[in-house]
Amino acid sequence: MTVPDTVTGPEPAVWPLSGSAGQPGTLDAPAVVGVADLRVTNAAAVLAVVRTADPHPRLSEIVTATSLSRPTVETIAEELVDSGLIEVVPAVPTRGRRSPGRPARRFRFRPHAGYVVGVDVRPRSVTACLADLDGTPVAVRRTTVRADVSGAARAEAVTASALGAMTDAGVDAARVWAATVGTPGLVDRHNTRVRQADNLRSWARTDIVGIVRDALGCPVAVENDANLACLGERWRGVGAGGTHSDMIFVLLGERLGAGVIAGGRLLRGHHGAAGEIGFIRFPEENGSGREGMSGAGAAAPGRRPGLEPLPATAMSGAAAGDQAAVAEVEAYGRRLAEGVAPVLLALNPALVVLGTGRFPSGATAPAAELLLAAAREHAGALLVDPPHWKLSTLANDAVLTGAVHFALSSVEVVLRTRPTSLPAQGV
C-alpha cells in the first residue's frame, strides 16, 4: 500500500511528545469548574487525584483535593467506576477491631482499563509490546522477517505481531487506545509517514500508519527508532527520574542514529530529521593510529557517511582480551567521539547514552565498556563542558519502551482532559 496524499480516518490523536502539550505521566489536575455542563473537566480532576494520591483516597479526600461538592464527586466517581477507569478498593478487615457503620470507600486507578501498543521495526525483526496504562508490558510478540522483504510484507508483520500480542493477553482491539511504530529512517514531523528508509525496501512508500490504524482501530503514530530509544531511556532507563533534561541517545545499529532531548522535550527539527548523525562523514584514523579532520585523517568528500557497525568478532574478541580487537573497539569509540563532537558542542547535553543490541549484556559487556571509555576520554579533549557518558540500561528494549511511552502520551491527553469520553469497559 502506498502513502496517500491525505490521511483519513478517526480524529487524529495529540502526540504531546512532539508538540507543545505536557509530558505523559504529568498528572497535574486541570482547573476545576463547578458547573454541571463541565462535568467532563471535573471528571479529569477527580481521576488525577485518584491516580496520584497515596494511599488510595477516600471520597472525602477527593472532595478536599478538588474543592468540588460531595454529591458532584460521588456522581463522577460512579461514572469513572462504570467506565472502568477506577475501582473501589476492597475493604481489609482489621482483626480485633470493630467500627460502627460501613467503612469509607477508597478508590484506585485501573491500569488495565485500556492498553497501548508499541512496535520496534528492524531490518530482520518486528517486535510488538502490549502495555497497560501504567506502561507495564502485558504481552510481547516478536516476528522474524527477511531483510529484503517488501514494505507491504513488513507492514503485515507489524499488524500480525501487534494482534498476536493482544491475543496472547486476551485483549480485544476496542481496549487498545493508541499505538506507535518505531522504525529506522526519516519520519515526517507529524508522525504520519516514513519519509526515507534506505535499508528497508519500499518501506517509505508504505502507509504503515493507515495499515495499523485499520487493523487496531485506534490512533497510530510512526517515529524514528533513535528518538524513541532516547525517550525510553529517559523514562525507564539510565536517564529515569527526570534529572537529565538535556541528553542524547546514540543508537549504534546497522546505521548510526541519535535521539535528542533538549529542555526536557524531544527535539525533532523542522522536517523531523534532527539527530540523523548517520549522515556525518566521520574521520578515519591516520597512519599513526590517531584520528583527525585534517591531513592524513581527513574525511574524504566522496566517502560514505556514517560509521560501519563494529563486527561481532571485534566485540567478542575485545571482551575476551584480544589486543587487536581491543584496539579496534577503542579506535571506533574515538572516531565516534570525534564525529559527534560538533553536535555535542552545539547542544551541550548533560548526558550521552550509547545503546545497541550488539552488546546488550553478558559476555560482550567488557567490550562495551571499552568503547564507552574511549569515546568519553577522547571527547573530553574536544568539548567545553564534557557530558557524562553511560551505556543504555534498556539495551534491546530501548526502542520498544520508547514506543510504548510515546503511545501513552496520546492517551494521557485524554485522561487529563476528557476521561469519560474513552470507551467504557466496565470492571
Side-chain angles (χ1 to χ4, degrees):
M1 180 182 295
T2 58
V3 177
D5 292 333
T6 58
V7 179
T8 60
E11 180 182 351
V14 177
W15 306 100
L17 290 174
S18 58
S20 58
Q23 296 279 1
T26 304
L27 301 175
D28 297 335
V32 174
V33 180
V35 179
D37 291 341
L38 298 180
R39 182 176 293 167
V40 65
T41 302
N42 294 341
V46 170
L47 180 61
V49 172
V50 174
R51 293 186 73 185
T52 56
D54 184 23
H56 306 305
R58 300 185 182 92
L59 198 68
S60 59
E61 292 167 338
I62 301 174
V63 169
T64 300
T66 61
S67 299
L68 294 169
S69 69
R70 187 179 183 91
T72 297
V73 172
E74 286 180 333
T75 301
I76 291 173
E78 292 303 326
E79 289 180 355
L80 292 173
V81 168
D82 290 342
S83 73
L85 286 171
I86 68 174
E87 64 183 352
V88 178
V89 180
V92 179
T94 303
R95 295 181 61 183
R97 296 182 61 185
R98 297 182 60 184
S99 56
R102 191 172 58 182
R105 294 187 301 168
R106 293 182 180 272
F107 298 90
R108 67 184 174 197
F109 179 63
R110 291 186 67 245
H112 284 73
Y115 298 86
V116 298
V117 169
V119 182
D120 179 5
V121 174
R122 304 186 187 188
R124 294 174 178 82
S125 68
V126 171
T127 306
C129 175
L130 179 76
D132 66 19
L133 299 181
D134 281 341
T136 303
V138 176
V140 176
R141 178 70 72 93
R142 185 177 187 273
T143 304
T144 300
V145 297
R146 297 196 322 272
D148 62 346
V149 297
S150 67
R154 198 176 299 276
E156 183 178 344
V158 170
T159 57
S161 297
L163 293 172
M166 292 160 57
T167 299
D168 293 343
V171 172
D172 59 52
R175 300 178 67 189
V176 176
W177 293 346
T180 296
V181 179
T183 175
L186 304 180
V187 174
D188 79 313
R189 64 180 305 181
H190 302 295
N191 301 107
T192 57
R193 60 184 291 266
V194 180
R195 295 170 48 215
Q196 180 181 336
D198 295 339
N199 59 340
L200 301 180
R201 183 164 71 91
S202 69
W203 188 234
R205 298 195 302 273
T206 303
D207 181 17
I208 184 60
V209 167
I211 291 171
V212 176
R213 185 180 59 220
D214 290 345
L216 303 187
C218 67
V220 177
V222 64
E223 181 56 285
N224 172 265
D225 53 1
N227 285 347
L228 292 179
C230 190
L231 291 173
E233 202 68 47
R234 186 170 186 259
W235 183 40
R236 295 277 171 91
V238 72
T243 57
H244 298 291
S245 59
D246 297 274
M247 63 176 282
I248 294 178
F249 184 100
V250 179
L251 184 63
L252 302 174
E254 293 195 12
R255 183 168 186 170
L256 280 178
V260 180
I261 290 179
R265 304 197 57 79
L266 183 65
L267 181 65
R268 303 193 70 247
H270 182 63
H271 293 293
E276 288 295 335
I277 62 173
F279 290 92
I280 294 175
R281 283 186 165 79
F282 284 74
E284 291 186 355
E285 289 197 328
N286 60 31
S288 65
R290 298 178 62 84
E291 303 76 36
M293 291 301 293
S294 61
R303 186 161 47 83
R304 181 180 175 181
L307 283 175
E308 293 295 327
L310 266 173
T313 54
M315 296 299 295
S316 59
D322 178 81
Q323 291 305 303
V326 167
E328 184 176 0
V329 169
E330 290 179 337
Y332 189 95
R334 291 191 295 270
R335 289 182 62 206
L336 174 66
E338 185 137 356
V340 302
V343 178
L344 302 183
L345 283 168
L347 297 176
N348 190 29
L351 174 66
V352 176
V353 181
L354 300 186
T356 176
R358 294 180 179 272
F359 45 81
S361 61
T364 57
E369 294 289 350
L370 286 171
L371 192 157
L372 181 77
R376 179 177 58 231
E377 181 179 355
H378 194 66
L382 303 174
L383 305 175
V384 176
D385 295 304
H388 295 289
W389 291 70
K390 295 184 179 180
L391 292 174
S392 166
T393 56
L394 296 177
N396 253 342
D397 294 330
V399 176
L400 202 60
T401 302
V404 167
H405 186 47
F406 198 92
L408 279 174
S409 71
S410 180
V411 176
E412 286 288 351
V413 173
V414 183
L415 292 176
R416 294 200 310 270
T417 56
R418 52 187 192 282
T420 52
S421 68
L422 292 165
Q425 300 300 328
V427 295

